[in-house]
Amino acid sequence: MLHPIKEIVKNQKAGIPVGIYSVCSSNNYVIEAALERALRNNDYLLIESTANQVNQFGGYTGMRPLDFKEFVYEIADKVGFPREKVILGGDHLGPLVWKGLDEKTAMKYSKDLIREYVLAGFTKIHIDTSMHIGDDLNSGKFGDSLIAERAAILCEVAEAAFSDLKENEINVLHPVYIVGSEVPIPGGSQDEEEEISVTKSENLKNTIDTFKEAFKRYGLDKCFNENVIAVVVQPGVEFGSDTIWAYNRDKAKELVNTLNDYENLIFEAHSTDYQTPIALKELVEDGFAILKVGPALTFALREGLFALSCIEEDLFTNDENVEISKFRDILDFSMVKEPENWKNHYKGSGKEVKFERKYSFSDRARYYLPNAHVDYALHKMICNLNSVSIPLPLISQYMPTQYKRVRMGLIKKDAESLLKDKVNEYIEDYMFATKPSLKIKKKA
């Protein structure tokens, strides 16, 4: 069986502007919403976890790759989504988490990481060695050659792991690999730059040539030609705390034209969160056939949770029999108490930081949803709202799009359905962008 993403590559090279979006989240509501939406269209769904999120030590979710796989499958079973249509991906697999350590230790951990992902059955592997490790900057050797060398080493480990996996599971798909040397950092920009520079055409050529040569040195020629299917580049899109850098296809034209020289490669675009539907569509038409989205989905979830909190307060503030969850207050209290996950992203006056903790596009609040106190408040709020029939006027007031969909009979008006539909507002943009249109893309 051909890997589903290889089918996308074939279509792209045939001039059909089709793509796939990648749900980069470990939140159960986000994953459930995405699975339910994909089920309605009988689509494949690509779900990815990042190295700092899920790794051999548990990451910030407490899950190892096999745990994350079972977590996703459990939700898939719940909604009736076929497991075989779930594509599991590992994002930024490399020294990301251990870049402050010495090279030997960081690479050892990276090898263990990628092996564990492949053995768990993840078939879309982003090998990311683009970051400095230990003393790289002082050595003067850091550049594409070293980045490619480390990537080849990790790919060799991945291929060996797949061989071991295949001994016990005959019908497993061979992983596809994504590489690159100009990789945006996970989670959005931490600096409010005036402009994001598009990857230069000559840089793309150098990256591909350098990676190809490094893979050849490790006996991975066939793997590079057949299973390296995408390159991560910077198309000029990014987001910060309150800024969005929109896609400008004119500025990316030279880069896009260069992609036509490579018959087996597409682009993977990171940080596409908050782009307009038209911009997302243009990205896919221009060869950015894998669109990564993560913070925008939990941003939508946070919007939904805040709306439900307002509904809860309006319904129960004067009801002495109901204990209100105070979800928003508890979330912010937890963020203030443990600032490690947002302090490097939110800057400015106390007033500005207080605003960003709640409303920033970077959505660092997502790191606090698993917190025991926040999780309790969230479920308390859901329980309170599900104890009554939520009045339509309140849904109209705080969730107007969902109000219309309730009236049309498209969704139910219980708290979970409203919440998941809020997430789907963003997913719809990606579904629009990745589906082929009647217009056939012309070769440049």
Side-chain angles (χ1 to χ4, degrees):
M1 176 183 171
L2 191 66
H3 196 290
I5 303 181
K6 286 189 175 182
E7 291 279 6
I8 290 170
V9 177
K10 285 177 61 179
N11 283 324
Q12 276 278 337
K13 296 307 177 179
I16 303 171
V18 64
I20 190 168
Y21 59 94
S22 170
V23 175
C24 302
S25 178
S26 60
N27 182 273
N28 59 308
Y29 287 110
V30 167
I31 292 173
E32 187 170 331
L35 285 165
E36 288 179 345
R37 186 63 190 87
L39 182 64
R40 295 207 295 271
N41 278 35
N42 194 30
D43 288 334
Y44 283 95
L45 183 63
L46 172 57
I47 302 174
E48 297 200 53
S49 58
T50 306
N52 62 341
Q53 190 178 58
V54 173
N55 58 48
Q56 68 268 39
F57 302 111
Y60 70 76
T61 64
M63 288 187 280
R64 296 173 68 165
L66 190 59
D67 299 325
F68 184 78
K69 174 184 175 180
E70 293 306 318
F71 169 68
V72 171
Y73 279 177
E74 184 177 337
I75 300 173
D77 293 344
K78 174 185 174 183
V79 304
F81 191 92
R83 290 187 175 192
E84 62 272 16
K85 302 211 79 169
V86 175
I87 305 170
L88 290 172
D91 195 25
H92 296 283
L93 300 189
L96 173 68
V97 183
W98 308 289
K99 59 187 178 183
L101 303 179
D102 63 276
E103 180 182 22
K104 183 179 179 180
T105 305
M107 286 301 290
K108 179 190 182 302
Y109 287 159
S110 299
K111 291 175 186 178
D112 294 342
L113 171 73
I114 206 162
R115 177 174 175 80
E116 197 160 311
Y117 264 86
V118 173
L119 288 177
F122 287 65
T123 66
K124 190 265 188 187
I125 304 295
H126 172 212
I127 301 176
D128 185 10
T129 52
S130 64
M131 65 291 297
H132 309 118
I133 304 176
D135 198 44
D136 275 348
L137 292 179
N138 293 328
S139 72
K141 297 179 181 179
F142 189 75
D144 273 11
S145 294
L146 185 57
I147 292 170
E149 176 86 6
R150 289 169 176 168
I153 290 170
L154 294 184
C155 188
E156 185 180 42
V157 172
E159 288 290 282
F162 177 71
S163 295
D164 292 344
L165 178 65
K166 199 171 181 181
E167 288 183 6
N168 298 316
E169 300 181 40
I170 299 174
N171 295 320
V172 291
L173 283 177
H174 193 289
V176 294
Y177 300 108
I178 287 78
V179 298
S181 55
E182 293 188 23
V183 181
I185 62 171
S189 175
Q190 295 183 27
D191 299 309
E192 299 301 313
E193 305 167 58
E194 291 185 5
E195 186 176 359
I196 300 294
S197 297
V198 177
T199 296
K200 294 180 180 179
S201 176
E202 56 266 31
N203 289 0
L204 172 65
K205 293 177 182 178
N206 184 66
T207 292
I208 295 173
D209 291 345
T210 306
F211 272 75
K212 188 171 185 177
E213 182 60 33
F215 276 55
K216 182 178 180 180
R217 288 197 300 272
Y218 282 82
L220 298 168
D221 315 52
K222 187 171 185 288
C223 178
F224 188 89
N225 293 327
E226 295 182 3
N227 297 309
V228 175
I229 54 94
V231 181
V232 179
V233 292
Q234 176 52 266
V237 304
E238 187 55 272
F239 63 92
S241 188
D242 63 355
T243 307
I244 300 166
W245 289 268
Y247 181 56
N248 184 329
R249 69 188 329 175
D250 289 335
K251 292 183 178 180
K253 187 175 181 180
E254 185 180 351
L255 174 66
V256 169
N257 288 342
T258 303
L259 184 66
N260 293 329
D261 297 337
Y262 303 95
E263 61 181 17
N264 296 318
L265 293 174
I266 56 176
F267 287 139
E268 174 170 286
H270 288 220
S271 300
T272 68
D273 307 68
Y274 311 109
Q275 296 292 311
T276 66
I278 297 301
L280 293 171
K281 189 71 161 176
E282 289 178 348
L283 280 163
V284 173
E285 290 175 350
D286 292 346
F288 297 90
I290 304 174
L291 303 177
K292 306 293 288 296
V293 56
L297 301 182
T298 45
F299 178 88
L301 180 75
R302 194 272 311 152
E303 285 187 321
L305 289 168
F306 278 22
L308 291 178
S309 179
C310 291
I311 291 173
E312 180 197 26
E313 289 177 3
D314 280 359
L315 281 174
F316 300 114
T317 292
N318 297 318
D319 190 335
E320 61 184 18
N321 296 313
V322 177
E323 179 187 352
I324 295 177
S325 69
K326 299 187 183 299
F327 171 78
R328 287 173 294 170
D329 292 339
I330 290 175
L331 173 62
D332 195 54
F333 175 80
S334 299
M335 293 181 73
V336 172
K337 186 178 179 182
E338 300 174 3
E340 289 75 17
N341 288 312
W342 58 263
K343 64 182 181 182
N344 293 328
H345 289 257
Y346 302 156
K347 300 176 176 68
S349 67
K351 180 180 179 181
E352 289 169 332
V353 169
K354 186 176 182 179
F355 176 87
E356 289 178 332
R357 286 200 306 269
K358 291 183 179 179
Y359 302 114
S360 168
F361 284 135
S362 299
D363 186 48
R364 307 304 291 181
R366 69 186 184 275
Y367 289 91
Y368 297 84
L369 295 180
N371 175 282
H373 299 292
V374 177
D375 184 64
Y376 175 83
L378 190 159
H379 285 91
K380 178 65 177 174
M381 176 176 67
I382 297 290
C383 183
N384 285 343
L385 292 172
N386 285 344
S387 71
V388 298
S389 176
I390 303 174
L392 282 173
L394 279 181
I395 299 175
S396 178
Q397 175 66 39
Y398 294 109
M399 307 181 81
T401 301
Q402 283 63 50
Y403 164 77
K404 292 177 182 178
R405 291 175 61 76
V406 168
R407 291 294 310 278
M408 294 168 67
L410 298 175
I411 61 171
K412 298 177 181 179
K413 63 172 188 166
D414 61 278
E416 291 96 334
S417 295
L418 296 171
L419 195 55
K420 289 184 289 184
D421 194 70
K422 185 66 182 174
V423 174
N424 274 322
E425 287 184 31
Y426 281 85
I427 290 176
E428 292 291 344
D429 293 345
Y430 284 86
M431 296 194 76
F432 164 77
T434 53
K435 294 298 179 186
S437 58
L438 295 177
K439 176 184 175 182
I440 300 299
K441 181 179 70 174
K442 295 180 180 179
K443 293 287 185 182

